[in-house]
Amino acid sequence: MNCFERIIIRLASNQTLDKMKNTILFFAIVFGSSLLAQDRSIEFQDITFDEALKASRTEKKPIFMDCYAVWCGPCKWMSANIFTQNEVADFYNENFICVKFDMEKGEGIELAKEFGIRAYPTLIFVDANRKLVMKSIGASRENADYIALGENAKSKEYNLIALAKNVANHRSDEAYMSKYFKIMAGAGMVDQNEVELYFANIPQKEWASEENWNIIIAVVDDIEGQVFQDILNDPEKYRTEHGEQVDQFVSYKIQSALRTALYSRDADALDKYKALLAQVESWDFE
């Protein structure tokens, strides 16, 4: 007779049947919850990056690297709440050589320079040839986002190397480019020239479609570019489909551009800011 059974029998001798049922239910919930507890986490190896590359070649797995800083709150949250999820842990432990480095100490300082790490948390994936194959900035709260990120890193179609190689052949493919821009935005690697080229390859009447609007709000930053100017010149085309989001988007992007200009470290930052402000004020947009 196990411990749980002895407890139930002892309680049965001292309580009414209804009380015993309630007690059994309580213990079932407690014991059941313990069985469902998350008991695994990503196994980060305490090795150098060169050792990780060697392991990557031997085990034929890409490297997954958590780039963090000790003062970074989202980094700590992600470590405690995402990397300890069984679903995430099992996927990463099976498919990657997992390492983590403080980007402001030791080897991490040079790795930050090499892979362009400027914000935290940043997650990167590197192949055995030291090539960056995937990058993501920030800490999502959804397990599925981390699984999708890892799947893209493993993919020979949607990792960063493949995307850079194939984008020229897919500029008119709305579905492909939507995924392309989503990945590049997550990596903080959006090329505004690619944004302009994509929209230049499709009819302007299609720019306000749901898919293309999602691309616009995710990656269009150049307020002097053709896409942003089209919104300014024909706002009703976009408002009909997307309502007040259009004005919110325009307002946010203008403020962001002005803020970037104002806080630039260039010696002529103030003059550039004033020139941009004058240009913005000349636009005929309510």
Side-chain angles (χ1 to χ4, degrees):
M1 183 181 297
N2 62 38
C3 177
F4 182 65
E5 290 171 334
R6 287 198 296 271
I7 292 171
I8 295 302
I9 290 173
R10 189 176 302 118
L11 289 167
S13 64
N14 297 318
Q15 300 182 35
T16 65
L17 182 60
D18 286 341
K19 288 183 177 179
M20 188 180 79
K21 288 180 179 178
N22 290 336
T23 304
I24 291 173
L25 179 60
F26 169 77
F27 274 92
I29 292 172
V30 172
F31 278 78
S33 297
S34 67
L35 292 174
L36 294 174
Q38 301 294 321
D39 59 0
R40 299 186 293 283
S41 61
I42 294 180
E43 298 169 0
F44 290 102
Q45 301 183 41
D46 186 14
I47 55 178
T48 66
F49 192 71
D50 282 341
E51 289 171 334
L53 287 169
K54 183 177 180 180
S56 176
R57 290 189 287 270
T58 301
E59 300 184 33
K60 302 189 184 307
K61 295 179 181 180
I63 297 168
F64 163 61
M65 185 163 82
D66 173 22
C67 306
Y68 72 95
V70 293
W71 47 263
C72 170
C75 300
K76 296 175 183 177
W77 179 89
M78 188 168 58
S79 292
N81 296 282
I82 298 297
F83 296 163
T84 54
Q85 294 289 320
N86 286 350
E87 177 187 20
V88 175
D90 292 344
F91 176 78
Y92 276 79
N93 291 336
E94 179 181 353
N95 291 288
F96 302 101
I97 305 299
C98 302
V99 293
K100 61 193 309 181
F101 291 95
D102 182 341
M103 294 289 102
E104 297 181 340
K105 293 181 182 178
E107 190 176 7
I109 296 174
E110 291 304 315
L111 290 172
K113 294 177 183 177
E114 179 178 354
F115 295 110
I117 311 301
R118 300 181 182 87
Y120 307 103
T122 293
L123 307 178
I124 67 171
F125 299 78
V126 181
D127 68 13
N129 297 315
R130 213 180 180 110
K131 300 286 188 181
L132 181 69
V133 295
M134 190 54 58
K135 181 179 181 181
S136 178
I137 301 171
S140 169
R141 292 183 173 272
E142 301 297 329
N143 289 355
D145 290 339
Y146 296 87
I147 303 298
L149 179 66
E151 291 288 4
N152 287 335
K154 290 168 51 186
S155 169
K156 297 196 181 299
E157 183 178 5
Y158 288 109
N159 66 42
L160 293 177
I161 296 173
L163 289 173
K165 180 180 179 181
N166 298 322
V167 65
N169 297 322
H170 291 85
R171 287 200 180 106
S172 297
D173 184 338
E174 188 178 88
Y176 182 92
M177 294 302 292
S178 178
K179 185 161 185 175
Y180 167 81
F181 284 125
K182 181 179 180 180
I183 291 172
M184 300 307 286
M189 297 170 62
V190 175
D191 183 342
Q192 292 299 309
N193 290 327
E194 283 294 345
V195 176
E196 297 289 307
L197 283 170
Y198 166 67
F199 282 97
N201 274 278
I202 59 176
Q204 276 190 303
K205 64 182 181 180
E206 296 178 11
W207 290 11
S209 73
E210 185 70 25
E211 195 80 57
N212 285 327
W213 177 249
N214 288 333
I215 291 175
I216 288 171
I217 61 178
V219 301
V220 170
D221 289 325
D222 183 3
I223 65 174
E224 298 177 77
Q226 61 176 345
V227 180
F228 195 87
Q229 289 298 311
D230 188 61
I231 299 173
L232 291 179
N233 296 328
D234 191 7
E236 290 308 317
K237 175 174 68 175
Y238 295 88
R239 287 176 181 144
T240 299
E241 299 292 331
H242 312 293
E244 63 183 20
Q245 281 189 9
V246 177
D247 297 88
Q248 292 170 354
F249 169 77
V250 169
S251 176
Y252 173 77
K253 288 299 180 178
I254 288 176
Q255 291 181 55
S256 180
L258 289 170
R259 190 179 304 113
T260 299
L262 184 61
Y263 289 100
S264 167
R265 295 184 179 181
D266 294 345
D268 57 349
L270 184 58
D271 290 336
K272 288 181 178 179
Y273 167 77
K274 289 179 178 179
L276 182 59
L277 180 60
Q279 185 176 6
V280 167
E281 289 176 336
S282 73
W283 291 340
D284 183 22
F285 187 87
E286 182 181 349

